[in-house]
Amino acid sequence: NGLKFTRLLALLNNASGSVGTKEGASFVDLDAIPEDGLGLADGVKLLLSENAESLRKLLEGEVETIADLFFRQITRKGATEAAVSFSPPR
């Protein structure tokens, strides 16, 4: 049960004080991304700031999982390409 990208954006926006709600709702929707929320550059700045240390600790496991998946996919594709390249033509 991994972290959804939309939830990450909503979390960053909520941490910056920009809260998203569903129309007519009286609660904060953790999956709603505010229309006037952070842009990508501001989100990265926030994530790398000293104020986001606890948020970075929460995301550490997710980043490790993503890096592992990318590494496995790149390795698998590279191994397949190598096998095809070094196989004699039929």
Side-chain angles (χ1 to χ4, degrees):
N1 193 8
L3 182 71
K4 293 180 185 177
F5 184 68
T6 54
R7 183 158 294 170
L8 173 61
L9 292 176
L11 185 62
L12 286 173
N13 278 291
N14 289 336
S16 73
S18 182
V19 177
T21 59
K22 289 190 176 176
E23 192 171 327
S26 60
F27 61 91
V28 174
D29 184 358
L30 294 178
D31 291 323
I33 301 171
E35 290 182 17
D36 61 341
L38 293 174
L40 179 62
D42 291 332
V44 170
K45 284 180 189 176
L46 174 64
L47 193 57
L48 297 177
S49 73
E50 289 182 19
N51 296 337
E53 184 177 349
S54 60
L55 181 58
R56 284 192 303 272
K57 288 183 185 208
L58 288 171
L59 295 174
E60 194 172 281
E62 297 295 331
V63 170
E64 288 175 1
T65 300
I66 291 168
D68 181 51
L69 289 173
F70 279 139
F71 177 73
R72 288 177 190 217
Q73 185 176 13
I74 290 169
T75 303
R76 192 175 311 125
K77 285 183 179 182
T80 302
E81 290 288 328
V84 169
S85 295
F86 294 119
S87 296
R90 294 182 184 190

